[in-house]
């Protein structure tokens, strides 16, 4: 009889475990949705993508665009984007022609960061009342963070991720999604003229070589 009880208890444990796994899977599916629902796509042309790169380097030495993938890379000892700048090295695209001061705007893109890149910003919401930026997404030791603070995604090296950033200017709020799942909500930094940037931009603790790759970049508004 004791053996029968043990077998029955084991079956119950297995059943409960399978049920919990199924429930968690369903919750993950239900929590994921397309962040662009309810938004209008903003048409972008080639002229809407402006490159910033070390001023003494030809663009081809720090940027490539092939088969729909934009690849950005810099070295820690590279020059800034112009001789008069005191900023760190960068190779970025600035989405121009669609600056905004109000409304709800959204950036979407798929990114890939190769292992070894650290101390680098890969995406920005530029503009703020008393800062240069409202948002920076930085890579530190394989984790994607808001500046040096909240972790948005862990173990990101050598994988593709879908990123959506929604900037609600009126409510001073930025919402960040990874693979259609909401991860972080942060406050804004006051009124300004805003725009989106992405690529690679050296920050504190930067590695000697920094790189990010992007594809499927789009902008939406509501």
């Amino acid at each position: 009889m004791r053996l029968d009880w043990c077998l029955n208890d084991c079956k119950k444990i297995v059943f409960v475990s399978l049920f919990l796994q199924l429930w968690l899977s369903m919750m993950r599916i239900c929590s994921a949705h397309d962040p662009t629902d309810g938004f209008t796509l903003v048409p972008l042309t080639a002229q809407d993508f402006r490159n910033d790169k070390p001023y003494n380097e030809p663009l081809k030495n720090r940027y490539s665009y092939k088969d729909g993938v934009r690849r950005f890379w810099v070295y820690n000892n590279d020059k800034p984007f112009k001789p008069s700048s005191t900023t760190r090295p960068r190779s970025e695209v600035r989405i121009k022609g669609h600056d905004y001061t109000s409304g709800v705007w959204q950036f979407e893109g798929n990114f890939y960061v190769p292992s070894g890149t650290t101390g680098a910003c890969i995406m920005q919401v530029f503009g703020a009342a008393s800062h240069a930026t409202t948002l920076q997404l930085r890579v530190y030791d394989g984790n994607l963070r808001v500046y040096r603070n909240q972790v948005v995604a862990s173990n990101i090296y050598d994988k593709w991720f879908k990123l959506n950033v929604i900037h609600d200017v009126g409510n001073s709020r930025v919402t960040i999604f990874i693979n259609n799942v909401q991860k972080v909500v942060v406050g804004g930094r006051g009124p300004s003229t805003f725009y989106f940037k992405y690529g690679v931009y050296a920050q504190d603790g930067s590695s000697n070589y920094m790189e990010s790759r992007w594809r499927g970049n789009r902008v939406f508004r509501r």
Side-chain angles (χ1 to χ4, degrees), residues 21-186:
Q21 291 180 35
L22 178 61
W23 181 78
L24 289 171
S25 297
M26 292 178 64
M27 288 298 293
R28 283 192 290 267
I29 293 171
C30 291
S31 65
H33 69 283
D34 187 345
T36 66
D37 286 347
F39 283 78
T40 300
L41 180 65
V42 176
L44 299 178
T45 67
Q47 287 69 40
D48 295 326
F49 297 86
R50 189 197 76 190
N51 285 87
D52 291 327
K53 46 83 179 176
Y55 69 82
N56 63 328
E57 294 287 347
L59 182 58
K60 66 179 182 179
N61 285 358
R62 296 294 183 269
Y63 168 82
S64 69
Y65 183 39
K66 183 180 180 180
D67 298 330
V69 175
R70 300 178 189 270
R71 177 172 168 250
F72 307 83
W73 66 96
V74 289
Y75 294 88
N76 193 44
N77 61 352
D78 274 342
K79 300 293 186 183
F81 74 105
K82 61 182 179 180
S84 60
S85 175
T86 59
T87 60
R88 301 294 312 283
R90 72 182 76 195
S91 176
E92 294 181 301
V93 155
R94 181 250 213 253
I95 296 178
K96 66 184 187 69
H98 302 283
D99 298 3
Y100 60 96
T101 59
S102 61
V104 183
W105 289 73
Q106 181 171 178
F107 170 91
E108 179 180 87
N110 299 274
F111 69 88
Y112 177 103
V113 178
S115 58
T117 293
T118 193
C121 172
I122 64 169
M123 188 268 168
Q124 303 183 59
V125 178
F126 196 89
S130 56
H131 299 78
T133 59
T134 288
L135 175 74
Q136 282 193 353
L137 292 178
R138 300 182 185 178
V139 177
Y140 287 105
D141 299 321
N143 297 318
L144 185 67
R145 293 179 176 270
V146 176
Y147 295 97
R148 264 197 171 275
N149 305 318
Q150 300 102 312
V151 173
V152 179
S154 302
N155 302 314
I156 67 168
Y157 285 149
D158 305 321
K159 306 170 190 172
W160 282 99
F161 291 86
K162 181 187 176 190
L163 171 70
N164 291 79
V165 175
I166 299 176
H167 185 197
D168 185 338
V169 179
N171 289 310
S172 192
R173 182 173 64 232
V174 180
T175 306
I176 304 164
F177 294 78
I178 296 290
N179 296 336
N180 293 340
V181 177
Q182 181 177 311
K183 294 294 185 178
V184 174
V185 180
V186 296

